Amino acid sequence: MTALSGKTAVVTGGSRGIGAAIVRQFAQAGANVAFTYARSGEAAQQLVTELEAAGAGALAIQADSANPSEISAAIARATQQFGQLDVLVNNAGVFEVKSLNDCTLEDYEHVMNINTRAVFMAMRDAAKIIQDKGRIINIGSNLAERVPQAGLTLYTMSKAAVWGLTKAAARDLGHRGITVNIIQPGSTDTDMNPADGPHADHQRQLRAIPVYNSPDDIAAMAVYLASDAAQHITGSSLLVDGGANI
Ligand code: NDP
């Protein structure tokens, strides 16, 4: 018996990076995992093949988080495939660096639709069908709590909104034993923020432990929050940022 055996999870943006690490660790912990992707169909199918070869139930669904009806359809399809929904992880996200002066309405809609509106829509849909004692885990950012440089207005706003949504939803769903939490990663080595990128040294200097997170660091926290052991953790923000925000 492993931490998530018998559970079904949906992870948005599971084809690469932090999302793919969460998908893998959830499957290793015994869950059936459905995950969405937007463009990386090949990587998504490879991940399904890998998980199925290891004996896990896996399903990749193309669903653009910018499109609410695609999110709804993905949650419904995953639930139909595996018979129930126990865990929702809202991970899909985009990063945008632009000064406030230069932000257009299109920029606003792009970032907010994927990073914020999609999370709200997925949570609203999931809340109707998720099992009692279910889990909702949002992937935010430590930049929602502290902004160490310029150019982060849209991204920080989008993630701070998800933090507020997390706390409020924890109140709405707590009577069913459903927990709602947000993991706030710091710099994590992915395509979005490679540890050998041009701004990586600056980010390392912000941390008490001057080493990038690996995606598995975030996935381990997600597995814990999804497990029965975390039943009384709700509305919480879990920083995984090597001490950048202390
Ligand atoms: P990556 O860019 O490496 O991966 C992003 C994932 O999200 C991919 O699977 C991608 O799918 C998916 N995705 C992006 N846009 C959409 C969309 N419109 N619809 C559906 N899926 C989409 O990012 P990370 O793994 O680094 O980031 C994951 C989360 O962690 C994000 O919410 C990010 O904001 C957050 N985060 C990351 C940090 C970091 O330093 N890396 C730090 C703090 C927070 P596809 O492959 O199909 O494009």
Side-chain angles (χ1 to χ4, degrees), residues 91-208:
N91 163 79
V94 289
F95 185 63
E96 184 85 40
V97 178
K98 212 173 225 190
S99 181
L100 179 60
N101 288 334
D102 301 326
C103 291
T104 64
L105 181 59
E106 287 72 27
D107 295 329
Y108 173 93
E109 287 176 342
H110 174 64
V111 173
M112 293 299 285
N113 286 353
I114 295 170
N115 288 7
T116 309
R117 187 178 71 180
V119 177
F120 172 79
M121 299 304 297
M123 286 173 62
R124 193 205 58 177
D125 279 16
K128 293 175 184 157
I129 52 173
I130 198 166
Q131 299 288 304
D132 287 356
K133 300 188 177 177
R135 301 283 191 260
I136 297 174
I137 300 165
N138 295 325
I139 306 300
S141 166
N142 70 342
L143 297 174
E145 302 191 17
R146 179 168 174 264
V147 185
Q149 67 191 66
L152 294 169
T153 50
L154 287 175
Y155 186 74
T156 293
M157 175 173 60
S158 71
K159 295 294 190 177
V162 173
W163 188 10
L165 169 60
T166 300
K167 290 187 278 190
R171 287 281 183 196
D172 281 0
L173 302 177
H175 67 283
R176 293 176 51 204
I178 297 166
T179 69
V180 189
N181 292 293
I182 185 164
I183 302 174
Q184 312 273 43
S187 305
T188 305
D189 185 17
T190 65
D191 296 339
M192 181 186 279
N193 186 9
D196 60 359
H199 308 292
D201 283 339
H202 168 68
Q203 292 178 59
R204 272 186 280 272
Q205 285 162 16
L206 295 171
R207 299 167 66 109

